[in-house]
Coordinates of all heavy atoms in Angstrom, one line a residue:
M26 N 18.2 -58.8 30.4 CA 19.6 -58.9 30.1 C 20.5 -58.9 31.4 O 20.2 -58.2 32.3 CB 20.0 -57.7 29.2 CG 21.4 -57.8 28.7 SD 21.9 -56.8 27.4 CE 20.8 -55.5 27.2
A27 N 21.5 -59.8 31.4 CA 22.3 -59.9 32.6 C 23.3 -58.8 32.6 O 23.9 -58.4 31.6 CB 23.0 -61.3 32.5
T28 N 23.6 -58.4 33.8 CA 24.6 -57.3 34.0 C 26.0 -58.0 34.2 O 26.1 -59.2 34.5 CB 24.3 -56.5 35.2 OG1 24.4 -57.3 36.4 CG2 23.0 -55.8 35.1
K29 N 27.1 -57.2 34.0 CA 28.4 -57.8 34.1 C 28.6 -58.2 35.6 O 29.2 -59.3 35.8 CB 29.4 -56.8 33.7 CG 30.8 -57.3 33.8 CD 31.8 -56.3 33.2 CE 33.2 -56.9 33.3 NZ 34.2 -56.3 32.5
K30 N 28.2 -57.5 36.5 CA 28.3 -57.8 37.9 C 27.6 -59.1 38.2 O 28.1 -60.0 38.9 CB 27.9 -56.7 38.8 CG 28.0 -57.0 40.3 CD 28.2 -55.8 41.1 CE 28.3 -56.0 42.6 NZ 29.6 -56.6 43.0
G31 N 26.3 -59.2 37.7 CA 25.6 -60.4 37.9 C 26.2 -61.7 37.3 O 26.3 -62.7 38.0
L32 N 26.8 -61.5 36.2 CA 27.5 -62.6 35.5 C 28.8 -63.0 36.3 O 29.2 -64.2 36.4 CB 27.9 -62.3 34.1 CG 26.7 -62.2 33.2 CD1 27.1 -61.7 31.8 CD2 26.0 -63.6 33.0
Q33 N 29.4 -62.0 36.9 CA 30.6 -62.3 37.7 C 30.2 -63.1 39.0 O 31.0 -64.0 39.4 CB 31.3 -61.0 38.1 CG 32.1 -60.3 37.0 CD 32.6 -58.9 37.4 OE1 32.1 -58.3 38.2 NE2 33.7 -58.5 36.7
I34 N 29.1 -62.7 39.6 CA 28.6 -63.5 40.7 C 28.3 -64.9 40.4 O 28.7 -65.8 41.1 CB 27.4 -62.7 41.4 CG1 27.8 -61.4 42.0 CG2 26.7 -63.6 42.4 CD1 26.7 -60.5 42.4
I35 N 27.6 -65.1 39.2 CA 27.3 -66.4 38.8 C 28.6 -67.2 38.5 O 28.7 -68.4 38.9 CB 26.4 -66.4 37.5 CG1 25.0 -65.9 37.9 CG2 26.3 -67.7 36.8 CD1 24.1 -65.6 36.7
A36 N 29.6 -66.6 37.9 CA 30.8 -67.3 37.6 C 31.5 -67.7 38.9 O 32.1 -68.8 39.0 CB 31.8 -66.4 36.8
S37 N 31.5 -66.8 39.9 CA 32.1 -67.1 41.2 C 31.4 -68.3 41.9 O 32.1 -69.2 42.4 CB 32.1 -65.9 42.1 OG 32.9 -64.9 41.6
V38 N 30.1 -68.2 42.0 CA 29.4 -69.3 42.6 C 29.6 -70.6 41.8 O 29.8 -71.7 42.5 CB 27.8 -69.0 42.7 CG1 27.0 -70.1 43.1 CG2 27.6 -67.8 43.6
A39 N 29.5 -70.6 40.5 CA 29.8 -71.8 39.7 C 31.1 -72.4 40.0 O 31.3 -73.6 40.1 CB 29.5 -71.5 38.2
S40 N 32.1 -71.5 40.1 CA 33.5 -72.0 40.3 C 33.6 -72.6 41.7 O 34.2 -73.7 41.8 CB 34.5 -70.8 40.2 OG 34.6 -70.3 38.9
I41 N 33.0 -72.0 42.7 CA 33.1 -72.6 44.0 C 32.4 -74.0 44.0 O 32.9 -75.0 44.6 CB 32.4 -71.7 45.1 CG1 33.3 -70.4 45.2 CG2 32.2 -72.4 46.4 CD1 32.7 -69.3 46.0
M42 N 31.2 -74.1 43.4 CA 30.5 -75.3 43.3 C 31.3 -76.4 42.6 O 31.3 -77.6 43.0 CB 29.1 -75.1 42.7 CG 28.2 -74.3 43.5 SD 27.9 -74.8 45.2 CE 27.1 -76.4 44.9
S43 N 32.0 -76.0 41.5 CA 32.8 -77.0 40.8 C 33.9 -77.5 41.7 O 34.2 -78.7 41.7 CB 33.4 -76.3 39.6 OG 34.1 -77.2 38.8
V44 N 34.6 -76.6 42.4 CA 35.7 -77.0 43.3 C 35.1 -78.0 44.3 O 35.7 -79.1 44.6 CB 36.3 -75.8 44.0 CG1 37.3 -76.3 45.1 CG2 37.1 -75.0 42.9
L45 N 34.0 -77.7 44.9 CA 33.3 -78.6 45.9 C 33.0 -79.9 45.3 O 33.1 -81.0 45.9 CB 32.1 -77.9 46.5 CG 32.3 -76.7 47.4 CD1 31.0 -76.1 47.8 CD2 33.2 -77.1 48.6
M46 N 32.6 -79.9 44.0 CA 32.2 -81.2 43.4 C 33.5 -82.1 43.2 O 33.4 -83.3 43.5 CB 31.7 -80.9 42.0 CG 31.3 -82.1 41.1 SD 30.6 -81.7 39.6 CE 31.8 -80.8 38.7
Y47 N 34.6 -81.5 42.9 CA 35.8 -82.3 42.8 C 36.4 -82.7 44.1 O 37.0 -83.7 44.2 CB 36.8 -81.6 41.8 CG 36.2 -81.5 40.4 CD1 36.0 -80.3 39.8 CD2 35.8 -82.7 39.8 CE1 35.5 -80.3 38.6 CE2 35.3 -82.6 38.5 CZ 35.1 -81.4 37.9 OH 34.6 -81.4 36.7
V48 N 36.3 -81.8 45.1 CA 36.8 -82.2 46.4 C 36.0 -83.3 47.0 O 36.5 -84.1 47.8 CB 36.7 -80.9 47.4 CG1 36.9 -81.3 48.8 CG2 37.7 -79.9 46.9
S49 N 34.8 -83.5 46.5 CA 34.0 -84.6 47.0 C 34.5 -86.0 46.6 O 34.0 -87.0 47.0 CB 32.5 -84.5 46.5 OG 32.4 -84.7 45.1
Y50 N 35.6 -86.0 45.8 CA 36.3 -87.2 45.4 C 37.1 -87.8 46.6 O 37.5 -88.9 46.6 CB 37.2 -87.1 44.3 CG 36.6 -87.1 42.9 CD1 36.9 -86.2 41.9 CD2 35.8 -88.2 42.5 CE1 36.4 -86.2 40.7 CE2 35.2 -88.2 41.3 CZ 35.5 -87.3 40.3 OH 35.0 -87.3 39.1
I51 N 37.3 -87.0 47.6 CA 38.2 -87.4 48.7 C 37.7 -88.6 49.4 O 38.5 -89.6 49.6 CB 38.4 -86.2 49.7 CG1 39.2 -85.1 49.1 CG2 39.0 -86.7 51.0 CD1 39.4 -83.8 49.9
P52 N 36.4 -88.8 49.7 CA 35.9 -90.1 50.3 C 36.2 -91.3 49.4 O 36.5 -92.3 49.9 CB 34.4 -89.8 50.5 CG 34.3 -88.4 50.6 CD 35.3 -87.8 49.7
Q53 N 36.0 -91.1 48.1 CA 36.3 -92.1 47.1 C 37.7 -92.5 47.2 O 38.1 -93.7 47.1 CB 35.9 -91.7 45.7 CG 36.1 -92.8 44.7 CD 35.6 -92.4 43.3 OE1 34.9 -91.4 43.1 NE2 36.0 -93.1 42.3
I54 N 38.6 -91.5 47.2 CA 40.0 -91.8 47.3 C 40.4 -92.5 48.5 O 41.2 -93.5 48.5 CB 40.8 -90.4 47.2 CG1 40.6 -89.8 45.8 CG2 42.3 -90.7 47.5 CD1 41.1 -88.4 45.7
I55 N 39.8 -92.1 49.7 CA 40.0 -92.8 50.9 C 39.6 -94.3 50.9 O 40.3 -95.2 51.3 CB 39.4 -92.1 52.1 CG1 40.1 -90.7 52.3 CG2 39.4 -92.9 53.4 CD1 39.3 -89.8 53.3
S56 N 38.4 -94.5 50.3 CA 37.9 -95.9 50.1 C 38.8 -96.7 49.2 O 39.1 -97.9 49.5 CB 36.5 -95.9 49.5 OG 35.6 -95.4 50.4
N57 N 39.3 -96.1 48.1 CA 40.2 -96.8 47.2 C 41.5 -97.2 48.0 O 42.0 -98.3 47.8 CB 40.6 -95.9 46.1 CG 39.5 -95.6 45.1 OD1 38.5 -96.4 45.1 ND2 39.6 -94.6 44.3
L58 N 42.0 -96.3 48.8 CA 43.2 -96.6 49.5 C 43.0 -97.5 50.7 O 43.9 -98.2 51.2 CB 43.8 -95.3 50.1 CG 44.4 -94.3 49.0 CD1 44.8 -93.0 49.7 CD2 45.5 -94.9 48.3
S59 N 41.8 -97.7 51.1 CA 41.4 -98.6 52.2 C 41.1 -100.0 51.7 O 40.7 -100.9 52.4 CB 40.2 -98.1 53.0 OG 40.5 -96.9 53.6
G60 N 41.3 -100.2 50.4 CA 41.1 -101.6 49.8 C 39.7 -101.8 49.2 O 39.4 -102.9 48.9
E61 N 38.9 -100.8 49.1 CA 37.6 -100.9 48.5 C 37.6 -100.0 47.2 O 37.0 -99.0 47.1 CB 36.5 -100.4 49.4 CG 36.5 -101.2 50.7 CD 35.5 -100.6 51.7 OE1 34.5 -99.9 51.2 OE2 35.7 -100.8 52.9
P62 N 38.3 -100.5 46.1 CA 38.5 -99.6 44.9 C 37.2 -99.5 44.2 O 36.3 -100.4 44.2 CB 39.5 -100.4 44.1 CG 39.4 -101.8 44.6 CD 39.1 -101.7 46.0
S63 N 37.0 -98.3 43.6 CA 35.8 -98.0 42.8 C 36.2 -98.0 41.3 O 37.4 -98.2 41.0 CB 35.2 -96.7 43.2 OG 36.2 -95.7 43.0
N64 N 35.2 -97.8 40.5 CA 35.5 -97.8 39.0 C 36.2 -96.5 38.7 O 35.8 -95.4 39.1 CB 34.2 -97.9 38.3 CG 34.4 -98.1 36.8 OD1 35.2 -97.5 36.2 ND2 33.5 -98.9 36.3
P65 N 37.4 -96.6 38.0 CA 38.1 -95.4 37.7 C 37.6 -94.6 36.5 O 38.1 -93.5 36.3 CB 39.5 -95.9 37.4 CG 39.3 -97.3 36.8 CD 38.1 -97.8 37.6
I66 N 36.7 -95.1 35.8 CA 36.3 -94.4 34.5 C 35.7 -93.0 34.7 O 36.1 -92.0 34.1 CB 35.3 -95.3 33.7 CG1 36.0 -96.5 33.3 CG2 34.7 -94.5 32.5 CD1 35.1 -97.6 32.6
Q67 N 34.8 -92.8 35.7 CA 34.2 -91.5 35.9 C 35.2 -90.4 36.3 O 35.2 -89.4 35.7 CB 33.0 -91.6 36.9 CG 32.1 -90.4 36.9 CD 32.6 -89.2 37.7 OE1 33.4 -89.4 38.6 NE2 32.2 -88.0 37.3
P68 N 36.0 -90.7 37.3 CA 37.0 -89.6 37.6 C 38.0 -89.4 36.5 O 38.5 -88.3 36.3 CB 37.7 -90.1 38.9 CG 37.3 -91.5 39.0 CD 36.1 -91.8 38.2
L69 N 38.3 -90.4 35.7 CA 39.3 -90.3 34.6 C 38.7 -89.4 33.5 O 39.3 -88.5 33.0 CB 39.7 -91.7 34.1 CG 40.8 -91.7 33.0 CD1 42.1 -91.2 33.7 CD2 41.0 -93.1 32.5
V70 N 37.4 -89.6 33.2 CA 36.7 -88.8 32.2 C 36.6 -87.4 32.7 O 36.8 -86.4 32.0 CB 35.4 -89.4 31.8 CG1 34.6 -88.5 31.0 CG2 35.6 -90.8 31.1
A71 N 36.3 -87.2 34.0 CA 36.2 -85.9 34.6 C 37.5 -85.2 34.5 O 37.6 -84.0 34.2 CB 35.7 -86.0 36.0
M72 N 38.6 -85.9 34.7 CA 39.9 -85.3 34.6 C 40.2 -84.8 33.2 O 40.7 -83.7 33.0 CB 41.0 -86.3 35.1 CG 42.4 -85.7 35.0 SD 43.7 -87.0 35.0 CE 43.5 -87.7 33.4
V73 N 39.9 -85.6 32.2 CA 40.2 -85.2 30.8 C 39.3 -84.0 30.5 O 39.8 -83.1 29.8 CB 39.9 -86.4 29.9 CG1 39.9 -86.0 28.4 CG2 40.9 -87.5 30.1
N74 N 38.0 -84.0 30.9 CA 37.1 -82.9 30.6 C 37.7 -81.6 31.3 O 37.7 -80.6 30.6 CB 35.8 -83.2 31.2 CG 34.8 -82.1 31.0 OD1 34.6 -81.6 29.9 ND2 34.1 -81.7 32.1
C75 N 38.2 -81.7 32.5 CA 38.8 -80.6 33.2 C 40.1 -80.1 32.5 O 40.3 -78.9 32.5 CB 39.1 -80.9 34.6 SG 37.6 -81.1 35.6
I76 N 40.8 -81.0 31.9 CA 42.0 -80.6 31.2 C 41.6 -79.7 30.0 O 42.2 -78.6 29.8 CB 42.8 -81.8 30.7 CG1 43.5 -82.4 31.9 CG2 43.9 -81.4 29.6 CD1 44.1 -83.8 31.6
F77 N 40.6 -80.1 29.2 CA 40.1 -79.3 28.1 C 39.6 -78.0 28.5 O 39.8 -76.9 27.9 CB 39.1 -80.1 27.3 CG 39.7 -81.2 26.4 CD1 39.6 -82.5 26.7 CD2 40.5 -80.8 25.3 CE1 40.2 -83.5 25.9 CE2 41.1 -81.8 24.5 CZ 40.9 -83.1 24.8
W78 N 38.8 -78.0 29.6 CA 38.2 -76.7 30.1 C 39.3 -75.8 30.6 O 39.2 -74.6 30.4 CB 37.2 -76.9 31.2 CG 35.8 -77.2 30.6 CD1 35.1 -78.4 30.6 CD2 35.0 -76.3 29.9 NE1 33.9 -78.3 30.0 CE2 33.8 -77.0 29.5 CE3 35.1 -75.0 29.5 CZ2 32.8 -76.4 28.8 CZ3 34.1 -74.4 28.8 CH2 32.9 -75.1 28.4
T79 N 40.3 -76.3 31.2 CA 41.4 -75.5 31.7 C 42.2 -74.9 30.5 O 42.5 -73.7 30.6 CB 42.4 -76.3 32.6 OG1 41.6 -76.8 33.7 CG2 43.5 -75.5 33.1
I80 N 42.4 -75.6 29.5 CA 43.1 -75.1 28.3 C 42.2 -74.0 27.7 O 42.7 -72.9 27.4 CB 43.3 -76.2 27.3 CG1 44.4 -77.2 27.8 CG2 43.7 -75.6 25.9 CD1 44.5 -78.5 27.0
H81 N 40.9 -74.2 27.7 CA 40.0 -73.2 27.2 C 40.1 -71.9 28.1 O 40.0 -70.8 27.6 CB 38.6 -73.7 27.1 CG 37.6 -72.6 26.8 ND1 37.4 -72.1 25.5 CD2 36.6 -72.0 27.5 CE1 36.5 -71.2 25.5 NE2 36.0 -71.1 26.7
G82 N 40.1 -72.1 29.4 CA 40.2 -71.0 30.3 C 41.5 -70.2 30.1 O 41.5 -69.0 30.3
F83 N 42.6 -70.9 29.8 CA 43.8 -70.1 29.6 C 43.8 -69.4 28.3 O 44.4 -68.3 28.2 CB 45.0 -71.1 29.6 CG 45.6 -71.3 30.9 CD1 45.4 -72.5 31.6 CD2 46.3 -70.3 31.6 CE1 45.9 -72.7 32.9 CE2 46.8 -70.5 32.9 CZ 46.6 -71.7 33.5
F84 N 43.2 -69.9 27.2 CA 43.3 -69.3 25.9 C 42.0 -68.7 25.3 O 42.1 -67.9 24.4 CB 43.9 -70.3 24.9 CG 45.3 -70.8 25.3 CD1 45.4 -72.1 25.8 CD2 46.4 -70.0 25.3 CE1 46.7 -72.5 26.3 CE2 47.6 -70.4 25.7 CZ 47.8 -71.7 26.2
G85 N 40.9 -69.1 25.9 CA 39.6 -68.6 25.3 C 39.4 -69.0 23.9 O 40.1 -69.8 23.3
L86 N 38.4 -68.4 23.3 CA 38.1 -68.7 21.9 C 39.0 -67.9 20.9 O 39.1 -68.3 19.8 CB 36.6 -68.3 21.6 CG 35.6 -69.2 22.3 CD1 34.2 -68.6 22.1 CD2 35.7 -70.6 21.9
D87 N 39.6 -66.8 21.4 CA 40.4 -66.0 20.5 C 41.9 -66.3 20.7 O 42.8 -65.7 20.1 CB 40.2 -64.6 20.8 CG 40.5 -64.1 22.2 OD1 41.0 -65.0 23.0 OD2 40.3 -62.9 22.5
G88 N 42.3 -67.3 21.5 CA 43.7 -67.7 21.7 C 44.4 -66.9 22.7 O 45.6 -67.1 23.0
K89 N 43.8 -65.9 23.3 CA 44.5 -65.0 24.3 C 43.7 -64.5 25.5 O 44.2 -63.9 26.4 CB 45.1 -63.8 23.6 CG 44.1 -63.0 22.9 CD 44.8 -61.9 22.1 CE 43.7 -61.1 21.3 NZ 44.3 -60.2 20.3
T90 N 42.4 -64.8 25.5 CA 41.6 -64.3 26.6 C 41.5 -65.3 27.7 O 41.0 -66.4 27.5 CB 40.1 -64.0 26.0 OG1 40.2 -63.0 25.0 CG2 39.3 -63.4 27.1
R91 N 41.9 -64.9 28.9 CA 41.9 -65.9 30.0 C 40.6 -65.7 30.7 O 40.1 -64.6 30.9 CB 43.0 -65.6 31.0 CG 44.3 -66.1 30.4 CD 45.3 -66.3 31.5 NE 46.5 -66.9 30.9 CZ 47.7 -66.7 31.3 NH1 48.0 -65.9 32.2 NH2 48.7 -67.4 30.7
D92 N 40.1 -66.8 31.2 CA 38.9 -66.8 32.1 C 39.3 -67.5 33.4 O 39.3 -68.8 33.5 CB 37.7 -67.5 31.4 CG 36.4 -67.4 32.2 OD1 36.5 -67.2 33.4 OD2 35.4 -67.5 31.5
R93 N 39.6 -66.7 34.4 CA 40.1 -67.3 35.7 C 39.1 -68.2 36.4 O 39.5 -69.1 37.0 CB 40.6 -66.2 36.6 CG 41.9 -65.5 36.1 CD 42.4 -64.5 37.1 NE 43.7 -64.1 36.7 CZ 44.0 -62.9 36.1 NH1 43.0 -62.1 35.8 NH2 45.2 -62.6 35.7
A94 N 37.8 -67.8 36.2 CA 36.8 -68.6 36.8 C 36.8 -70.1 36.3 O 36.7 -71.0 37.0 CB 35.4 -68.0 36.6
I95 N 37.0 -70.2 35.0 CA 37.0 -71.6 34.4 C 38.3 -72.3 34.8 O 38.2 -73.5 35.2 CB 37.0 -71.5 32.8 CG1 35.5 -71.0 32.4 CG2 37.3 -72.8 32.2 CD1 35.4 -70.8 30.9
I96 N 39.4 -71.6 34.9 CA 40.6 -72.2 35.3 C 40.5 -72.7 36.8 O 40.8 -73.8 37.1 CB 41.8 -71.3 35.1 CG1 42.0 -70.9 33.7 CG2 43.1 -71.8 35.8 CD1 43.0 -69.7 33.4
F97 N 40.1 -71.8 37.6 CA 39.9 -72.1 39.1 C 39.0 -73.2 39.3 O 39.2 -74.1 40.2 CB 39.4 -70.8 39.8 CG 39.1 -71.0 41.2 CD1 40.1 -71.0 42.2 CD2 37.8 -71.2 41.7 CE1 39.9 -71.2 43.5 CE2 37.5 -71.4 43.0 CZ 38.6 -71.4 44.0
A98 N 37.9 -73.3 38.5 CA 36.9 -74.3 38.7 C 37.4 -75.7 38.2 O 36.9 -76.7 38.7 CB 35.6 -74.0 37.9
N99 N 38.3 -75.8 37.3 CA 38.7 -77.1 36.7 C 40.0 -77.7 37.1 O 40.2 -78.9 37.0 CB 38.6 -76.9 35.2 CG 37.2 -76.9 34.7 OD1 36.5 -77.9 34.6 ND2 36.7 -75.7 34.4
V100 N 40.9 -76.9 37.6 CA 42.2 -77.4 38.1 C 42.0 -78.4 39.2 O 42.7 -79.5 39.2 CB 43.2 -76.3 38.5 CG1 44.4 -76.8 39.2 CG2 43.6 -75.5 37.2
P101 N 41.1 -78.2 40.2 CA 40.9 -79.3 41.2 C 40.4 -80.6 40.6 O 40.7 -81.6 41.1 CB 39.9 -78.6 42.1 CG 40.1 -77.2 42.0 CD 40.4 -77.0 40.5
G102 N 39.6 -80.5 39.5 CA 39.1 -81.6 38.8 C 40.2 -82.5 38.2 O 40.1 -83.7 38.2
I103 N 41.2 -81.8 37.7 CA 42.4 -82.5 37.2 C 43.1 -83.3 38.3 O 43.4 -84.5 38.2 CB 43.4 -81.5 36.5 CG1 42.7 -80.9 35.3 CG2 44.6 -82.3 36.0 CD1 43.5 -79.7 34.7
I104 N 43.3 -82.6 39.4 CA 44.1 -83.2 40.5 C 43.3 -84.3 41.2 O 43.8 -85.4 41.3 CB 44.4 -82.1 41.5 CG1 45.4 -81.0 40.9 CG2 45.0 -82.7 42.8 CD1 45.5 -79.7 41.7
F105 N 42.1 -84.0 41.6 CA 41.3 -85.0 42.3 C 40.8 -86.1 41.4 O 40.7 -87.3 41.8 CB 40.1 -84.4 43.0 CG 40.6 -83.6 44.2 CD1 40.5 -82.2 44.3 CD2 41.1 -84.2 45.4 CE1 40.9 -81.5 45.4 CE2 41.5 -83.5 46.5 CZ 41.4 -82.1 46.5
G106 N 40.5 -85.8 40.1 CA 40.1 -86.9 39.2 C 41.2 -87.8 38.9 O 41.0 -89.0 38.9
F107 N 42.4 -87.3 38.7 CA 43.6 -88.1 38.5 C 43.8 -89.0 39.8 O 44.1 -90.2 39.7 CB 44.8 -87.3 38.2 CG 46.1 -88.0 38.1 CD1 46.4 -88.8 37.0 CD2 47.0 -88.0 39.2 CE1 47.6 -89.5 36.9 CE2 48.2 -88.8 39.1 CZ 48.5 -89.5 38.0
T108 N 43.8 -88.4 40.9 CA 44.1 -89.1 42.2 C 43.0 -90.2 42.4 O 43.4 -91.3 42.8 CB 44.1 -88.1 43.4 OG1 45.1 -87.1 43.1 CG2 44.5 -88.9 44.7
A109 N 41.8 -89.9 42.2 CA 40.7 -90.9 42.3 C 40.9 -92.1 41.4 O 40.7 -93.2 41.7 CB 39.3 -90.3 42.2
A110 N 41.2 -91.7 40.1 CA 41.3 -92.8 39.1 C 42.6 -93.6 39.4 O 42.5 -94.9 39.4 CB 41.5 -92.2 37.7
L111 N 43.7 -93.0 39.8 CA 44.9 -93.7 40.1 C 44.8 -94.6 41.3 O 45.2 -95.8 41.3 CB 46.0 -92.7 40.3 CG 47.4 -93.3 40.6 CD1 47.9 -94.0 39.4 CD2 48.4 -92.2 41.0
T112 N 44.1 -94.1 42.4 CA 44.0 -94.9 43.5 C 43.0 -96.1 43.3 O 43.1 -97.1 44.0 CB 43.5 -94.1 44.8 OG1 42.3 -93.4 44.5 CG2 44.6 -93.1 45.2
A113 N 42.1 -95.9 42.4 CA 41.2 -97.0 42.0 C 41.9 -98.1 41.3 O 41.5 -99.3 41.3 CB 40.0 -96.5 41.2
I114 N 42.9 -97.7 40.5 CA 43.7 -98.7 39.7 C 44.7 -99.4 40.5 O 44.9 -100.6 40.3 CB 44.3 -98.0 38.5 CG1 43.2 -97.4 37.6 CG2 45.2 -98.9 37.7 CD1 43.7 -96.5 36.5
I115 N 45.4 -98.7 41.4 CA 46.5 -99.4 42.1 C 46.1 -100.1 43.3 O 45.1 -100.0 43.8 CB 47.7 -98.4 42.5 CG1 47.1 -97.3 43.4 CG2 48.3 -97.8 41.2 CD1 48.2 -96.4 44.0

């Protein structure tokens, strides 16, 4: 059985890894702005997914329980996913 402290460590590591995953869009954004646009579908879908996870993080299953790890992990996905998709389109 997992302890509360162990689960907090897992949540922290998972949040950091998620942020790093979305920050990795930066080279794609740079390529898009340099005239080598990529397909916008994946970052757009990632952005929508992150929107839903962020809403869940704010309200939880009971409508009032916040999960800061989920919020922290997904807000960069909204920002970088949107930016990557937008720069691929324009």
Side-chain angles (χ1 to χ4, degrees):
M26 183 166 16
T28 65
K29 184 172 182 166
K30 181 153 179 76
L32 291 174
Q33 287 173 334
I34 291 169
I35 290 171
S37 295
V38 171
S40 293
I41 291 167
M42 295 304 296
S43 182
V44 169
L45 292 173
M46 178 175 62
Y47 295 120
V48 168
S49 70
Y50 277 134
I51 292 174
Q53 181 179 346
I54 293 167
I55 291 169
S56 291
N57 290 341
L58 294 172
S59 297
E61 299 174 29
S63 59
N64 191 318
I66 293 174
Q67 194 278 333
L69 189 61
V70 171
M72 179 195 73
V73 172
N74 180 51
C75 290
I76 289 170
F77 283 107
W78 275 112
T79 301
I80 292 168
H81 173 73
F83 271 109
F84 300 107
L86 294 176
D87 62 2
K89 58 185 174 187
T90 304
R91 286 202 171 145
D92 188 334
R93 288 188 173 100
I95 289 176
I96 296 167
F97 177 78
N99 286 283
V100 168
I103 297 170
I104 297 165
F105 288 111
F107 174 77
T108 305
L111 183 66
T112 57
I114 294 170
I115 60 171

